[in-house]
Amino acid sequence: MLRPKIPTMPTPTGLVTPPAVVEPTTVVQHHPTPAPAPAASIRPTIQLTPGTALAFVGAGTAVVLVLGVVLVSLLLAVAITGASVAVCAVVLRSLMNADAKRR
């Protein structure tokens, strides 16, 4: 069988330097000063009035209705296409059977 050739490590030629000695360092832990408390937010809060709530409800209803109309129309398109393909298949089968009977 085929045996893979394992490469051998070439011996270094030329000047070889010894590895550098790494001195261990001491770990000093610093205790951070506590962060100051966050300042009060400058942004205004949103006030939800009955008028804006009604606008949100109306917009949500409109989005749901539009998506529903689009999805129903896509479903109808698929159903009509399937029905027309089925009718075409029945007509073609009928034509082919009638042609085979005449011979």
Side-chain angles (χ1 to χ4, degrees), residues 13-98:
T13 58
L15 185 61
V16 178
T17 58
V21 178
V22 178
E23 294 289 328
T25 58
T26 59
V27 177
V28 179
Q29 291 185 355
H30 295 283
H31 296 289
T33 58
S41 177
I42 299 174
R43 297 184 312 181
T45 58
I46 297 175
Q47 298 291 328
L48 192 60
T49 62
T52 56
L54 188 62
F56 282 137
V57 169
T61 304
V63 167
V64 167
L65 288 177
V66 168
L67 284 176
V69 167
V70 168
L71 291 176
V72 167
S73 64
L74 286 173
L75 183 65
L76 277 174
V78 169
I80 291 171
T81 304
S84 65
V85 167
V87 168
C88 289
V90 168
V91 169
L92 284 175
R93 189 174 80 178
S94 173
L95 288 175
M96 291 177 72
N97 285 340

